[in-house]
Amino acid sequence: ASFIMIGTGNPEEGELRPQLLDRFGLYVEINTVADPDLRLQLALNRTAYDLNPEEFYASAREDQEALKEKLLKAKALVKEVQVDRDLRIKISTVCSLLDIDGIRGDMVVVRTAKAFAAFDGRTEVTEDDVGRIIGLCLGHRTRKDPLDPLGGVMKVNAVFKRIFKDGLTYEAVRGMQAKSQPGKGGDDKKKEEGAEEDGKEGRGGLKPGQWRGLK
């Protein structure tokens, strides 16, 4: 694309429809800074800007120019960045386990990982690169379940760990997901088996033909 759109929104005012959220490549949750030192620095920066904007710009110009130069180098390098097929398979596995609709999520993760590696001056994507950015790419694409205690990004990171760090297969994680769902877990299976056993027993809790003892 020849341009980049950055949008902001307040979730308390309502969620966007999934088909619209899917059009956004990256999603970042912004919270109020809690660290006292950072809060103080932000307040001092704002005060300095209000007192003398030009002087404030001048004080930040060197850092901004360095960042600009780094971004330009990354933009030129990103075309040379390679992503191993095994990493691509794992990325698509995570997307599949999260029930991400379409393949846009898969593509965004790969592109963002390549950009992150280029920004770091490298031409090969690593698992750590994927781990750093995958939550930003998929957090808003996960299906919203009001009964699920895990948020989108937390859910993405949990599945990422299972596939990338623990080395589990698609089938293994699917099995774990099935067991964690109500009515499909091992406890429910045991209850069903117990109910069948109870059904085989006669009145008084005895199986058919079992001796009741002397009265």
Coordinates of all heavy atoms in Angstrom, one line a residue, residues 99-196:
D99 N -8.5 -20.5 15.3 CA -9.7 -20.4 14.4 C -9.8 -19.0 13.7 O -10.8 -18.4 13.6 CB -11.0 -20.6 15.2 CG -11.1 -22.1 15.7 OD1 -10.7 -23.0 15.0 OD2 -11.6 -22.3 16.8
I100 N -8.6 -18.6 13.3 CA -8.5 -17.3 12.6 C -9.1 -17.5 11.2 O -8.7 -18.4 10.4 CB -7.1 -16.8 12.4 CG1 -6.4 -16.7 13.8 CG2 -7.0 -15.5 11.7 CD1 -7.0 -15.7 14.7
D101 N -10.1 -16.7 10.8 CA -10.7 -16.8 9.5 C -9.8 -16.3 8.4 O -9.1 -15.2 8.6 CB -12.0 -16.0 9.5 CG -13.1 -16.7 10.3 OD1 -13.1 -17.9 10.4 OD2 -14.0 -15.9 10.8
G102 N -9.7 -17.0 7.3 CA -8.9 -16.5 6.2 C -7.4 -16.7 6.4 O -7.0 -17.3 7.4
I103 N -6.6 -16.2 5.5 CA -5.2 -16.3 5.7 C -4.5 -15.0 5.9 O -3.2 -14.9 5.9 CB -4.6 -17.0 4.4 CG1 -4.8 -16.2 3.2 CG2 -5.1 -18.4 4.3 CD1 -4.0 -16.7 1.9
R104 N -5.3 -13.9 6.0 CA -4.6 -12.6 6.2 C -3.8 -12.6 7.5 O -2.7 -12.0 7.6 CB -5.7 -11.5 6.3 CG -5.1 -10.1 6.4 CD -6.1 -9.0 6.3 NE -6.6 -8.8 4.9 CZ -7.9 -9.1 4.6 NH1 -8.8 -9.5 5.4 NH2 -8.3 -8.9 3.3
G105 N -4.3 -13.2 8.5 CA -3.5 -13.3 9.8 C -2.2 -14.0 9.6 O -1.1 -13.5 10.1
D106 N -2.1 -15.1 8.9 CA -0.9 -15.8 8.6 C 0.1 -14.8 7.9 O 1.3 -14.7 8.2 CB -1.1 -17.0 7.7 CG -2.2 -17.9 8.2 OD1 -3.3 -17.4 8.6 OD2 -1.9 -19.1 8.3
M107 N -0.4 -14.1 6.9 CA 0.5 -13.2 6.1 C 1.0 -12.0 6.9 O 2.1 -11.6 6.8 CB -0.3 -12.8 4.8 CG -0.7 -13.9 3.9 SD -1.8 -13.3 2.6 CE -0.7 -12.2 1.7
V108 N 0.1 -11.5 7.7 CA 0.5 -10.3 8.5 C 1.6 -10.7 9.5 O 2.6 -9.9 9.7 CB -0.7 -9.7 9.3 CG1 -0.3 -8.7 10.3 CG2 -1.6 -9.1 8.3
V109 N 1.5 -11.9 10.1 CA 2.5 -12.3 11.1 C 3.9 -12.4 10.4 O 4.9 -12.0 10.9 CB 2.1 -13.7 11.7 CG1 3.3 -14.2 12.6 CG2 0.9 -13.5 12.6
V110 N 3.9 -13.1 9.2 CA 5.1 -13.2 8.5 C 5.7 -11.9 8.1 O 6.9 -11.6 8.3 CB 4.9 -14.1 7.2 CG1 6.2 -14.1 6.3 CG2 4.6 -15.5 7.6
R111 N 4.9 -11.0 7.6 CA 5.4 -9.7 7.1 C 5.9 -8.9 8.3 O 7.0 -8.2 8.2 CB 4.3 -8.9 6.5 CG 3.9 -9.5 5.1 CD 2.7 -8.7 4.5 NE 2.3 -9.2 3.2 CZ 1.2 -8.9 2.6 NH1 0.4 -8.0 3.1 NH2 0.9 -9.4 1.4
T112 N 5.2 -8.9 9.4 CA 5.6 -8.2 10.6 C 6.9 -8.7 11.2 O 7.8 -8.0 11.7 CB 4.5 -8.2 11.7 OG1 3.3 -7.7 11.1 CG2 4.9 -7.2 12.8
A113 N 7.0 -10.0 11.2 CA 8.3 -10.7 11.7 C 9.5 -10.3 10.9 O 10.6 -10.0 11.4 CB 8.1 -12.2 11.8
K114 N 9.3 -10.2 9.5 CA 10.3 -9.8 8.6 C 10.7 -8.3 8.9 O 11.9 -8.0 8.9 CB 9.9 -10.0 7.2 CG 9.7 -11.4 6.8 CD 9.1 -11.6 5.4 CE 10.1 -11.1 4.3 NZ 9.6 -11.3 2.9
A115 N 9.7 -7.5 9.1 CA 10.0 -6.1 9.4 C 10.8 -5.9 10.7 O 11.7 -5.1 10.8 CB 8.7 -5.3 9.4
F116 N 10.4 -6.7 11.7 CA 11.0 -6.7 13.0 C 12.5 -7.1 12.9 O 13.4 -6.5 13.5 CB 10.3 -7.5 14.0 CG 10.8 -7.4 15.4 CD1 10.4 -6.4 16.2 CD2 11.7 -8.3 15.9 CE1 10.8 -6.3 17.5 CE2 12.2 -8.2 17.2 CZ 11.7 -7.2 18.0
A117 N 12.7 -8.2 12.1 CA 14.1 -8.6 11.9 C 14.9 -7.6 11.2 O 16.1 -7.3 11.6 CB 14.1 -10.0 11.2
A118 N 14.4 -7.0 10.2 CA 15.1 -5.9 9.4 C 15.4 -4.7 10.3 O 16.5 -4.1 10.2 CB 14.2 -5.5 8.2
F119 N 14.5 -4.4 11.2 CA 14.7 -3.2 12.1 C 15.9 -3.5 13.0 O 16.6 -2.6 13.4 CB 13.4 -3.0 12.9 CG 13.5 -1.8 13.8 CD1 13.5 -0.5 13.3 CD2 13.6 -1.9 15.2 CE1 13.6 0.6 14.1 CE2 13.7 -0.8 16.0 CZ 13.7 0.4 15.5
D120 N 16.1 -4.8 13.3 CA 17.2 -5.2 14.2 C 18.4 -5.5 13.4 O 19.4 -5.9 13.9 CB 16.8 -6.5 14.9 CG 17.6 -6.7 16.2 OD1 18.0 -5.7 16.8 OD2 18.0 -7.9 16.5
G121 N 18.4 -5.2 12.0 CA 19.5 -5.4 11.2 C 19.9 -6.8 10.8 O 21.0 -7.1 10.4
R122 N 18.9 -7.7 10.8 CA 19.1 -9.1 10.4 C 18.3 -9.5 9.2 O 17.4 -8.8 8.8 CB 18.7 -10.0 11.6 CG 19.6 -9.9 12.8 CD 19.1 -10.7 14.0 NE 18.0 -10.2 14.6 CZ 16.7 -10.7 14.5 NH1 16.5 -11.7 13.7 NH2 15.7 -10.1 15.2
T123 N 18.8 -10.6 8.5 CA 18.1 -11.0 7.3 C 17.4 -12.4 7.5 O 17.1 -13.0 6.5 CB 19.1 -11.1 6.1 OG1 20.2 -12.0 6.5 CG2 19.7 -9.8 5.8
E124 N 17.3 -12.8 8.7 CA 16.6 -14.1 9.0 C 15.7 -14.0 10.2 O 16.2 -13.5 11.2 CB 17.7 -15.2 9.2 CG 17.0 -16.6 9.3 CD 18.1 -17.7 9.4 OE1 19.2 -17.4 9.1 OE2 17.7 -18.8 9.7
V125 N 14.5 -14.4 10.0 CA 13.5 -14.3 11.1 C 13.7 -15.5 12.1 O 14.0 -16.6 11.7 CB 12.1 -14.4 10.6 CG1 11.1 -14.5 11.7 CG2 11.8 -13.1 9.8
T126 N 13.6 -15.2 13.4 CA 13.8 -16.2 14.4 C 12.5 -16.5 15.1 O 11.5 -15.7 15.0 CB 14.9 -15.8 15.5 OG1 14.4 -14.7 16.2 CG2 16.2 -15.5 14.8
E127 N 12.4 -17.5 16.0 CA 11.2 -17.8 16.7 C 10.9 -16.6 17.7 O 9.8 -16.3 18.0 CB 11.4 -19.1 17.5 CG 11.3 -20.3 16.7 CD 11.2 -21.6 17.5 OE1 11.2 -21.5 18.7 OE2 11.1 -22.7 16.9
D128 N 12.0 -16.1 18.3 CA 11.8 -14.9 19.2 C 11.2 -13.7 18.5 O 10.4 -13.0 19.1 CB 13.2 -14.5 19.8 CG 13.7 -15.5 20.8 OD1 12.9 -16.3 21.3 OD2 14.9 -15.6 21.1
D129 N 11.5 -13.5 17.2 CA 10.9 -12.4 16.4 C 9.4 -12.7 16.4 O 8.6 -11.7 16.6 CB 11.5 -12.4 15.0 CG 13.0 -12.0 15.0 OD1 13.4 -11.3 16.0 OD2 13.7 -12.3 14.1
V130 N 9.0 -13.9 16.0 CA 7.6 -14.2 15.9 C 6.9 -14.0 17.2 O 5.8 -13.5 17.3 CB 7.4 -15.7 15.4 CG1 5.9 -16.0 15.3 CG2 8.1 -15.8 14.0
G131 N 7.6 -14.5 18.3 CA 7.0 -14.3 19.6 C 6.7 -12.9 20.1 O 5.8 -12.6 20.8
R132 N 7.6 -12.0 19.6 CA 7.5 -10.6 20.0 C 6.3 -9.9 19.3 O 5.8 -8.9 19.8 CB 8.8 -9.9 19.6 CG 10.0 -10.3 20.4 CD 10.0 -9.7 21.8 NE 10.1 -8.2 21.8 CZ 11.3 -7.5 21.7 NH1 12.4 -8.2 21.7 NH2 11.2 -6.2 21.7
I133 N 6.0 -10.4 18.1 CA 5.0 -9.6 17.3 C 3.6 -10.4 17.1 O 2.7 -9.7 16.7 CB 5.6 -9.2 16.0 CG1 6.1 -10.5 15.2 CG2 6.7 -8.3 16.2 CD1 5.0 -11.2 14.3
I134 N 3.6 -11.7 17.4 CA 2.4 -12.4 17.0 C 1.1 -12.0 17.7 O 0.0 -12.0 17.2 CB 2.6 -13.9 17.2 CG1 1.6 -14.7 16.4 CG2 2.7 -14.3 18.7 CD1 1.9 -16.2 16.3
G135 N 1.3 -11.5 19.0 CA 0.1 -11.0 19.7 C -0.5 -9.8 19.1 O -1.7 -9.6 19.1
L136 N 0.4 -8.9 18.5 CA -0.1 -7.7 17.9 C -0.8 -8.0 16.6 O -1.7 -7.2 16.2 CB 1.1 -6.8 17.6 CG 2.1 -6.4 18.7 CD1 3.3 -5.6 18.2 CD2 1.3 -5.6 19.8
C137 N -0.4 -9.1 15.9 CA -1.0 -9.5 14.6 C -2.3 -10.2 14.8 O -3.2 -10.1 13.9 CB 0.0 -10.3 13.8 SG 1.6 -9.5 13.6
L138 N -2.5 -11.0 15.8 CA -3.6 -11.9 15.9 C -4.6 -11.6 17.0 O -5.7 -12.2 17.1 CB -3.1 -13.4 16.0 CG -2.2 -13.9 14.9 CD1 -1.8 -15.4 15.2 CD2 -2.9 -13.8 13.6
G139 N -4.2 -10.8 18.0 CA -5.0 -10.6 19.2 C -6.4 -10.1 18.8 O -7.4 -10.6 19.5
H140 N -6.5 -9.3 17.8 CA -7.9 -8.8 17.5 C -8.6 -9.6 16.5 O -9.8 -9.4 16.2 CB -7.7 -7.4 16.9 CG -6.8 -7.3 15.7 ND1 -5.5 -7.6 15.7 CD2 -7.1 -6.9 14.4 CE1 -5.0 -7.5 14.5 NE2 -5.9 -7.1 13.7
R141 N -8.0 -10.7 16.1 CA -8.6 -11.6 15.1 C -9.2 -12.8 15.7 O -9.9 -13.6 15.1 CB -7.6 -12.1 14.0 CG -6.9 -10.9 13.3 CD -5.8 -11.5 12.3 NE -4.9 -10.4 11.9 CZ -5.2 -9.6 10.9 NH1 -6.3 -9.7 10.2 NH2 -4.3 -8.6 10.6
T142 N -9.0 -13.1 17.0 CA -9.5 -14.2 17.7 C -11.0 -14.0 17.9 O -11.5 -12.9 18.1 CB -8.8 -14.5 19.0 OG1 -9.0 -13.3 19.9 CG2 -7.3 -14.7 18.8
R143 N -11.7 -15.2 18.0 CA -13.1 -15.1 18.3 C -13.4 -14.7 19.7 O -12.8 -15.2 20.6 CB -13.8 -16.5 18.0 CG -13.6 -16.9 16.5 CD -14.2 -18.3 16.3 NE -14.0 -18.8 15.0 CZ -14.8 -18.5 14.0 NH1 -15.9 -17.7 14.2 NH2 -14.6 -19.0 12.8
K144 N -14.3 -13.8 19.9 CA -14.6 -13.3 21.2 C -15.6 -14.2 21.9 O -16.7 -14.4 21.4 CB -15.2 -11.8 21.1 CG -14.2 -10.8 20.5 CD -13.0 -10.6 21.4 CE -12.1 -9.5 20.8 NZ -11.5 -9.8 19.5
D145 N -15.2 -14.7 23.1 CA -16.1 -15.5 23.9 C -16.3 -14.9 25.2 O -15.3 -14.8 26.0 CB -15.5 -16.9 24.0 CG -16.4 -17.9 24.8 OD1 -17.5 -17.4 25.3 OD2 -16.1 -19.1 24.8
P146 N -17.5 -14.4 25.6 CA -17.6 -13.7 26.9 C -17.4 -14.6 28.1 O -17.1 -14.1 29.2 CB -19.1 -13.3 26.8 CG -19.8 -14.2 25.8 CD -18.7 -14.5 24.8
L147 N -17.4 -15.9 27.9 CA -17.1 -16.8 29.0 C -15.7 -17.2 29.1 O -15.3 -18.0 30.0 CB -18.0 -18.1 28.9 CG -19.5 -17.9 28.9 CD1 -20.2 -19.2 28.7 CD2 -20.0 -17.2 30.1
D148 N -14.9 -16.8 28.1 CA -13.4 -17.2 28.1 C -12.7 -16.1 29.0 O -12.7 -14.9 28.7 CB -12.9 -17.2 26.7 CG -11.5 -17.8 26.6 OD1 -10.9 -17.9 27.6 OD2 -11.2 -18.2 25.5
P149 N -12.0 -16.6 30.0 CA -11.2 -15.6 30.9 C -10.0 -15.1 30.2 O -9.5 -14.0 30.6 CB -10.8 -16.5 32.1 CG -10.7 -17.9 31.5 CD -11.8 -18.0 30.5
L150 N -9.5 -15.7 29.1 CA -8.3 -15.2 28.4 C -8.7 -14.2 27.4 O -9.6 -14.4 26.6 CB -7.6 -16.4 27.8 CG -6.9 -17.4 28.7 CD1 -6.2 -18.4 27.9 CD2 -5.9 -16.7 29.6
G151 N -7.9 -13.1 27.4 CA -8.1 -12.1 26.3 C -7.5 -12.5 25.0 O -6.8 -13.5 25.0
G152 N -7.7 -11.7 24.0 CA -7.2 -12.1 22.7 C -5.7 -12.4 22.7 O -5.2 -13.4 22.2
V153 N -4.9 -11.4 23.1 CA -3.4 -11.5 23.1 C -3.0 -12.6 24.0 O -2.0 -13.4 23.7 CB -2.8 -10.1 23.5 CG1 -1.3 -10.3 23.6 CG2 -3.2 -9.0 22.5
M154 N -3.6 -12.8 25.2 CA -3.2 -13.8 26.1 C -3.4 -15.2 25.5 O -2.6 -16.1 25.6 CB -3.9 -13.7 27.4 CG -3.6 -12.5 28.2 SD -4.6 -12.4 29.8 CE -4.1 -13.8 30.6
K155 N -4.5 -15.3 24.8 CA -4.9 -16.6 24.1 C -3.8 -16.9 23.0 O -3.4 -18.0 22.9 CB -6.3 -16.5 23.5 CG -6.8 -17.8 23.0 CD -8.2 -17.6 22.4 CE -9.2 -17.1 23.4 NZ -10.5 -17.0 22.8
V156 N -3.5 -15.9 22.3 CA -2.5 -16.0 21.2 C -1.1 -16.5 21.8 O -0.5 -17.4 21.3 CB -2.3 -14.7 20.4 CG1 -1.1 -14.8 19.4 CG2 -3.6 -14.4 19.6
N157 N -0.7 -15.8 22.8 CA 0.6 -16.1 23.4 C 0.6 -17.6 24.0 O 1.6 -18.3 24.0 CB 0.9 -15.1 24.5 CG 1.3 -13.8 23.9 OD1 1.7 -13.7 22.8 ND2 1.1 -12.7 24.7
A158 N -0.6 -18.0 24.5 CA -0.7 -19.3 25.1 C -0.5 -20.4 24.0 O 0.2 -21.4 24.2 CB -2.0 -19.5 25.8
V159 N -1.2 -20.2 22.9 CA -1.1 -21.1 21.8 C 0.3 -21.1 21.2 O 0.9 -22.1 20.8 CB -2.1 -20.9 20.7 CG1 -2.0 -21.8 19.5 CG2 -3.5 -21.0 21.3
F160 N 0.9 -19.9 21.1 CA 2.3 -19.7 20.6 C 3.2 -20.6 21.4 O 4.1 -21.3 20.9 CB 2.7 -18.3 20.6 CG 4.1 -18.1 20.3 CD1 4.6 -18.0 19.0 CD2 5.0 -17.9 21.4 CE1 6.0 -17.8 18.8 CE2 6.4 -17.7 21.2 CZ 6.9 -17.7 19.9
K161 N 3.1 -20.5 22.7 CA 4.0 -21.3 23.6 C 3.9 -22.8 23.3 O 4.9 -23.5 23.3 CB 3.7 -20.9 25.0 CG 4.6 -21.7 26.1 CD 4.2 -21.3 27.5 CE 5.1 -22.0 28.5 NZ 4.9 -23.5 28.4
R162 N 2.6 -23.2 23.2 CA 2.4 -24.7 23.0 C 3.1 -25.2 21.7 O 3.7 -26.2 21.7 CB 0.9 -25.0 22.9 CG 0.1 -24.7 24.2 CD 0.6 -25.6 25.3 NE -0.3 -25.5 26.4 CZ 0.0 -26.1 27.6 NH1 1.1 -26.8 27.7 NH2 -0.9 -26.0 28.6
I163 N 3.0 -24.4 20.6 CA 3.6 -24.8 19.3 C 5.1 -24.5 19.2 O 5.9 -25.4 18.8 CB 2.8 -24.1 18.2 CG1 1.3 -24.5 18.2 CG2 3.4 -24.4 16.9 CD1 1.1 -26.0 18.1
F164 N 5.5 -23.3 19.6 CA 6.9 -22.9 19.4 C 7.8 -23.3 20.5 O 8.9 -23.7 20.2 CB 7.0 -21.4 19.2 CG 6.6 -20.9 17.8 CD1 5.2 -20.7 17.5 CD2 7.5 -20.6 16.9 CE1 4.9 -20.3 16.2 CE2 7.2 -20.1 15.6 CZ 5.9 -20.0 15.3
K165 N 7.4 -23.2 21.7 CA 8.3 -23.5 22.8 C 8.2 -24.9 23.3 O 9.2 -25.6 23.6 CB 8.0 -22.5 24.0 CG 8.1 -21.0 23.6 CD 9.5 -20.7 23.2 CE 9.7 -19.2 22.9 NZ 11.1 -18.9 22.4
D166 N 6.9 -25.4 23.5 CA 6.7 -26.8 24.0 C 6.9 -27.8 22.9 O 7.0 -29.0 23.2 CB 5.3 -26.9 24.6 CG 5.2 -26.0 25.8 OD1 6.2 -25.5 26.3 OD2 4.1 -25.7 26.2
G167 N 6.8 -27.4 21.6 CA 7.0 -28.3 20.5 C 5.8 -29.3 20.3 O 6.0 -30.4 19.7
L168 N 4.6 -28.9 20.7 CA 3.5 -29.8 20.6 C 2.9 -29.7 19.1 O 3.2 -28.8 18.4 CB 2.3 -29.4 21.5 CG 2.7 -29.5 23.0 CD1 1.5 -29.1 23.8 CD2 3.1 -30.9 23.4
T169 N 2.2 -30.8 18.7 CA 1.7 -30.8 17.4 C 0.3 -30.2 17.4 O -0.3 -30.0 18.4 CB 1.6 -32.3 16.9 OG1 0.7 -33.0 17.8 CG2 2.9 -33.0 16.9
Y170 N -0.2 -30.0 16.2 CA -1.5 -29.5 16.0 C -2.6 -30.4 16.7 O -3.5 -29.9 17.4 CB -1.8 -29.3 14.5 CG -3.3 -29.0 14.2 CD1 -3.7 -27.7 14.1 CD2 -4.2 -30.0 13.9 CE1 -5.0 -27.4 13.8 CE2 -5.5 -29.7 13.6 CZ -5.9 -28.4 13.5 OH -7.2 -28.1 13.3
E171 N -2.4 -31.7 16.4 CA -3.4 -32.6 17.0 C -3.4 -32.6 18.5 O -4.4 -32.7 19.2 CB -3.1 -34.0 16.5 CG -3.4 -34.2 15.0 CD -2.3 -33.6 14.1 OE1 -1.2 -33.3 14.6 OE2 -2.5 -33.5 12.9
A172 N -2.2 -32.5 19.1 CA -2.1 -32.5 20.5 C -2.7 -31.3 21.2 O -3.5 -31.4 22.2 CB -0.6 -32.6 21.0
V173 N -2.5 -30.2 20.6 CA -3.2 -28.9 21.1 C -4.7 -29.0 20.9 O -5.4 -28.6 21.8 CB -2.5 -27.7 20.5 CG1 -3.2 -26.4 21.0 CG2 -1.0 -27.6 20.8
R174 N -5.1 -29.5 19.8 CA -6.6 -29.6 19.6 C -7.2 -30.5 20.6 O -8.3 -30.2 21.1 CB -6.8 -30.2 18.2 CG -6.9 -29.2 17.1 CD -8.1 -28.2 17.2 NE -8.3 -27.4 16.1 CZ -8.8 -26.2 16.2 NH1 -9.1 -25.7 17.3 NH2 -8.9 -25.4 15.1
G175 N -6.5 -31.6 21.0 CA -7.0 -32.5 22.0 C -7.1 -31.8 23.3 O -8.1 -32.0 24.1
M176 N -6.1 -30.9 23.7 CA -6.1 -30.2 24.9 C -7.3 -29.2 24.9 O -7.9 -29.0 25.9 CB -4.8 -29.5 25.1 CG -3.6 -30.4 25.3 SD -2.0 -29.5 25.2 CE -2.1 -28.5 26.7
Q177 N -7.5 -28.6 23.8 CA -8.6 -27.6 23.7 C -9.9 -28.3 23.9 O -10.8 -27.8 24.6 CB -8.5 -26.9 22.3 CG -7.4 -25.9 22.2 CD -7.3 -25.3 20.8 OE1 -7.8 -25.9 19.8 NE2 -6.8 -24.1 20.7
A178 N -10.1 -29.5 23.3 CA -11.3 -30.2 23.4 C -11.6 -30.6 24.9 O -12.7 -30.5 25.3 CB -11.3 -31.4 22.5
K179 N -10.6 -31.0 25.6 CA -10.7 -31.5 26.9 C -11.1 -30.3 27.9 O -11.7 -30.5 28.9 CB -9.5 -32.1 27.4 CG -9.2 -33.5 26.8 CD -7.9 -34.1 27.4 CE -7.7 -35.5 26.8 NZ -6.4 -36.1 27.3
S180 N -10.6 -29.1 27.5 CA -10.9 -27.9 28.3 C -12.3 -27.4 28.1 O -12.7 -26.5 28.9 CB -9.9 -26.8 28.0 OG -10.0 -26.3 26.7
Q181 N -13.0 -27.8 27.1 CA -14.4 -27.3 26.9 C -15.4 -28.1 27.7 O -15.3 -29.3 27.8 CB -14.7 -27.5 25.4 CG -13.8 -26.6 24.5 CD -14.2 -26.8 23.0 OE1 -15.1 -27.5 22.7 NE2 -13.4 -26.1 22.1
P182 N -16.4 -27.4 28.2 CA -17.4 -28.1 29.0 C -18.1 -29.2 28.2 O -18.4 -29.0 27.1 CB -18.4 -27.0 29.4 CG -17.6 -25.7 29.3 CD -16.6 -26.0 28.1
G183 N -18.3 -30.3 28.9 CA -19.0 -31.4 28.2 C -18.1 -32.3 27.4 O -18.5 -33.3 26.8
K184 N -16.8 -31.9 27.2 CA -15.9 -32.7 26.4 C -14.6 -33.2 27.1 O -13.8 -33.8 26.6 CB -15.5 -31.9 25.2 CG -16.6 -31.6 24.2 CD -16.1 -30.8 23.0 CE -17.3 -30.5 22.1 NZ -16.8 -29.8 20.9
G185 N -14.5 -32.8 28.4 CA -13.3 -33.1 29.2 C -13.3 -34.5 29.7 O -14.3 -35.2 29.7
G186 N -12.2 -34.9 30.3 CA -12.1 -36.2 30.9 C -13.0 -36.4 32.1 O -13.6 -37.5 32.3
D187 N -13.3 -35.4 32.9 CA -14.2 -35.5 34.0 C -15.6 -35.9 33.6 O -16.3 -36.7 34.2 CB -14.2 -34.2 34.9 CG -12.9 -34.0 35.5 OD1 -12.1 -35.0 35.7 OD2 -12.6 -32.8 35.9
D188 N -16.0 -35.2 32.5 CA -17.4 -35.5 32.0 C -17.5 -36.9 31.4 O -18.5 -37.6 31.5 CB -17.7 -34.5 30.9 CG -17.8 -33.1 31.4 OD1 -18.7 -32.8 32.3 OD2 -17.0 -32.2 31.0
K189 N -16.3 -37.4 30.8 CA -16.3 -38.7 30.3 C -16.5 -39.7 31.4 O -17.2 -40.7 31.3 CB -15.0 -39.0 29.5 CG -15.0 -40.3 28.8 CD -13.8 -40.4 28.0 CE -13.7 -41.8 27.3 NZ -12.5 -41.9 26.4
K190 N -15.7 -39.4 32.5 CA -15.8 -40.3 33.7 C -17.2 -40.3 34.3 O -17.7 -41.3 34.7 CB -14.8 -39.8 34.8 CG -13.4 -40.1 34.4 CD -12.4 -39.6 35.5 CE -11.0 -39.8 35.1 NZ -10.1 -39.3 36.2
K191 N -17.9 -39.1 34.3 CA -19.2 -39.1 34.8 C -20.2 -39.9 33.9 O -21.1 -40.6 34.4 CB -19.7 -37.6 34.8 CG -19.0 -36.8 35.9 CD -19.5 -35.4 35.8 CE -18.8 -34.5 36.9 NZ -19.3 -33.1 36.8
E192 N -20.0 -39.9 32.6 CA -20.8 -40.6 31.7 C -20.6 -42.1 31.9 O -21.5 -42.9 31.9 CB -20.5 -40.3 30.2 CG -20.9 -38.9 29.9 CD -20.5 -38.5 28.5 OE1 -19.9 -39.4 27.8 OE2 -20.7 -37.4 28.0
E193 N -19.3 -42.5 32.1 CA -19.0 -43.9 32.4 C -19.6 -44.3 33.7 O -20.1 -45.4 33.8 CB -17.5 -44.1 32.4 CG -16.8 -43.9 31.0 CD -15.3 -44.0 31.1 OE1 -14.8 -44.1 32.2 OE2 -14.7 -44.0 30.0
G194 N -19.5 -43.4 34.7 CA -20.1 -43.8 36.0 C -21.6 -43.9 35.9 O -22.2 -44.8 36.5
A195 N -22.3 -43.1 35.0 CA -23.7 -43.2 34.9 C -24.1 -44.5 34.2 O -25.1 -45.1 34.6 CB -24.2 -42.0 34.0
E196 N -23.2 -45.0 33.3 CA -23.5 -46.2 32.6 C -23.4 -47.4 33.6 O -24.2 -48.3 33.6 CB -22.5 -46.4 31.5 CG -22.7 -45.5 30.3 CD -21.7 -45.7 29.2 OE1 -20.8 -46.6 29.4 OE2 -21.8 -45.0 28.2

